[in-house]
Amino acid sequence: MTDSASPKGAVAGRGWFPLLQRVVDLLSMPALALLTAFVLGAVVILITSGRLETVGEAYWGLLRGAFIKQRGFSESLVAAIPYVLLSLGLALGFKTGLFNIGVEGQFYMGALAAAWAGQAIQGVPALVHLPVVLLAGAAGGAIWAGIPGYLKAKTGAHEVISTMMMNYIAFRLTEFIISGPLRAPSGSTIQTPRISPAAELWALWDIPNRLTAPLNALTLSLALGFGAWLIARAAGAGGQHAPDGASAHTGIGVPVSPFAGLIARITHHASRHLALVVGLGVALVSFVALPPLTRLWWPFTDEYDRLHLGLLLAILAAVGVWWLLWKTTIGFELRTVGANPNAARYAGVSITRNIVLGMALSGALAGLAGTVEVIGVSICRCLPLFFSSGYGFDSIAIALLGRNNPFGILASAFLFGAMRNGADLMELNSGVSKYIISLIQALVLLFVAAPAVVRWMYRIKAAPRAAEAPLTRGWGG
Amino acid sequence: MVKRTSALSDALQLAWVRLRRSLTTILLTAFGLVAAWALLNLVIGGQCDGKCVVDALAQTLRVATPIAFAAFCGVLCERAGVVDIGIEGKMLMAAMAAYSVNLFGFQLLQDALGPVAAGNVSRWLALVMAVASALLLAGLHAVFSIRFKSDQIISGTVINILAIGITGYMYRAFLAENLPAGPGTFPLVPIPLLAEIPVLGPILFHQKPLTYLMLALAVGIYWMLFYTQWGLRVRAVGEHPRAADTLGIDVLRTRYINTLLGGVVAGLGGAWFTLEAVDVFSPLMTNGLGFIGLAAMIFGKWNPFGALLGALLFGLGNSVTATVSIFRPDIPSQIPQMLPYLLTIIVLTGVVGRAVAPAADGQPYEKS
């Protein structure tokens, strides 16, 4: 679709052309990789089933399951949420020069920590409990990733092997804790106790009911306010350029009224702290307006729709990672260590600190993904023994497909979530095993990881751009 | 005559220096063995007698087999400068290929050859197909990392995910249910006379064919790498490809060959799972042993014997775990199961001396 758009852009005018060219440039490789992977997947289906119709049935089933069937679209979003968080973690690692292949284990540890924190405290409002559980989950993942990070920084133990080993330890550990110390006393199924209702991440349909309690309304409005602050901050509002209010103050000289100076000073400060003002404003407005408004009209009414506030969390995480990596000193240091550790060392940047930090942040995001699955998605609102998994490897493909860019990741995570969600109906529809999805995803990763292959296949000349920094490093560290 | 003696004494001296260098490793190993035995007896209350120890050591060698194959694959690839993280995937693929060929080959051949002969033929055929399937993935890895110069760790990860996808798909499609009875795994092949030696016999010479093959490969690869022209060239390519190229060694060709040889070895390791260990295939059955093999390779400092030692160490961890869970069913099985993975991390941190990888490991070679 992007390819057909490019000539139009050329006609439209000079200004648009470079932008479109860039968009086409950015999207063509992932699009071609996806296309090739799906074509090869079709070939595999054709060979194993022996019928051409099966291919159509399978892909049609996939499409229907992902978007068209009842709750299909929102289930795709539900599946995309952990993908976003996990691949953001991976991308953050990649940018720091770390291949955190153990996100799955950190996902488990985050889930475990959240399940524990969710049931350990009872009777506190969501305003306290929800942040505590999210922090616990993030901490669980951060610690689980921080250990290999520390070992890498101090001893050179390569993170690919050590996080992989941490994965297996995490699987055994969660299995042991769920079936032993943290097993729910009642019930025949092996799972952790149900978390307190205050620790649950609200389903979207449930929001009007939840908001009837003022403290809950405060929680949501604070979250929204924080989100608005983050987005405003990330968008570069406030701080950078000289405030316009100053000219009003000094330019005219004589204040028109005694309040003008005050107003000018307020606007001055307001523009300096615009992000904060926006955040507080959004929080205030939503606190006042949301409860009555949602009672009047709310688009999500389906009680079986599992789409939850984790969606907001995922989007905020993407903005946050983008802001951290490209707009803060911390992020700059992380990226410097990733791009050129020697230069970073000469510049006085601590390699050890940044490797541990990069791993811990990466693990924290993965832990959040596990948390979200426990407090937002799981039916028992607990951590069951056979926790659904297989997110870890997919996330690598998602991060690379999104080119390690948080917003690219949002898009590719949705795509993969849709594929994961549609797979069931595909299997039902055509009898093609849903493992074909992992096959296709592996192929996507294959082609995305080696753009040279795609270029060679489609006879595309390499774009004359500077060599990209290597994603990973050998054993030497 | 004089010259000969001096050559002999030189060789002896060299051997002595080598031995002294590896003395620490040997001592550590011995210490580790004794410590493991003491710890084991402590945990299980002194129930481990002589037979139990011999059994545990035989088990150690058995479990070390796939890890050692994986480590050898790593040694072969990385000595030539190609990082191979997709060993796990190759083994998984080979395990599935071996299982299905063994099973369905047996069905086809049963009527023609009779059950015994059909079993033998299908098992060896399965071994060949296991190697072939791993070779296919190795070829993919080689093309991606050598021809297209893509990131080798990513390429290896792709191999892993691809293998999970393919084996999962095939398992669901053909291997999950309604399976006929298969011919089973390789039988034990006690080596005549040697198997009668009191302690060593049951440990070393009462094993299945792939285990013997693994031991032979350790010697073979060591000799090839360090005592032949081929090995010198391979190591040159891994350490300084530019210099090797200048001397007329075809760097890319060497890398292709070694990556493919690694694939063959990984295929043997994968075959172990379904032709020697158990007679079923299950998804993800390799359980990280490929990665543990890589750790064993690093432990062994990219030397086949060292890698074998590392593999034996993990095998020991595994068999101690198994013994503990037999004698102490009250200990939750997950706790001892973590041990080998924990051991891997400890080994990686270089407690036993820091390992230095081949200098050009993981770097694509750009011919100038």
Side-chain angles (χ1 to χ4, degrees), chain B residues 115-128:
Chain B
V116 179
N120 277 327
V121 172
S122 66
R123 273 190 291 263
W124 288 105
L125 205 63
L127 192 62
V128 172

Side-chain angles (χ1 to χ4, degrees), chain B residues 52-68:
Chain B
C52 156
V53 169
V54 168
D55 282 351
L57 289 178
Q59 162 90 352
T60 299
L61 187 60
R62 262 200 298 284
V63 180
T65 304
I67 302 174

Side-chain angles (χ1 to χ4, degrees), chain A residues 452-466:
Chain A
V453 179
V454 178
R455 281 198 205 102
W456 171 75
M457 272 180 170
Y458 293 95
R459 304 283 184 275
I460 299 172
K461 284 206 183 90
R465 71 162 77 99

Side-chain angles (χ1 to χ4, degrees), chain B residues 64-74 210 213-214 217 265-266 268-269 272:
Chain B
T65 304
I67 302 174
F69 276 126
F72 296 160
C73 169
L210 283 176
L213 188 59
M214 182 274 287
L217 264 182
V265 175
L268 294 172
W272 176 87

Side-chain angles (χ1 to χ4, degrees), chain B residues 228-246:
Chain B
T228 65
Q229 194 186 34
W230 174 84
L232 187 64
R233 287 180 176 172
V234 166
R235 285 182 290 137
V237 166
E239 294 291 345
H240 202 315
R242 180 80 55 208
D245 196 5
T246 314

Side-chain angles (χ1 to χ4, degrees), chain A residues 187-253:
Chain A
S188 56
T189 46
I190 301 173
Q191 57 191 37
T192 62
R194 193 184 172 92
I195 59 168
S196 144
E200 286 176 18
L201 205 56
W202 312 338
L204 289 188
W205 66 265
D206 198 22
I207 285 181
N209 308 330
R210 295 269 185 177
L211 287 183
T212 48
L215 267 179
N216 280 348
L218 185 62
T219 313
L220 181 62
S221 51
L222 282 181
L224 288 175
F226 173 73
W229 172 78
L230 190 66
I231 290 172
R233 197 62 209 273
Q240 269 108 341
H241 38 78
D244 294 332
S247 62
H249 181 54
T250 54
I252 303 168

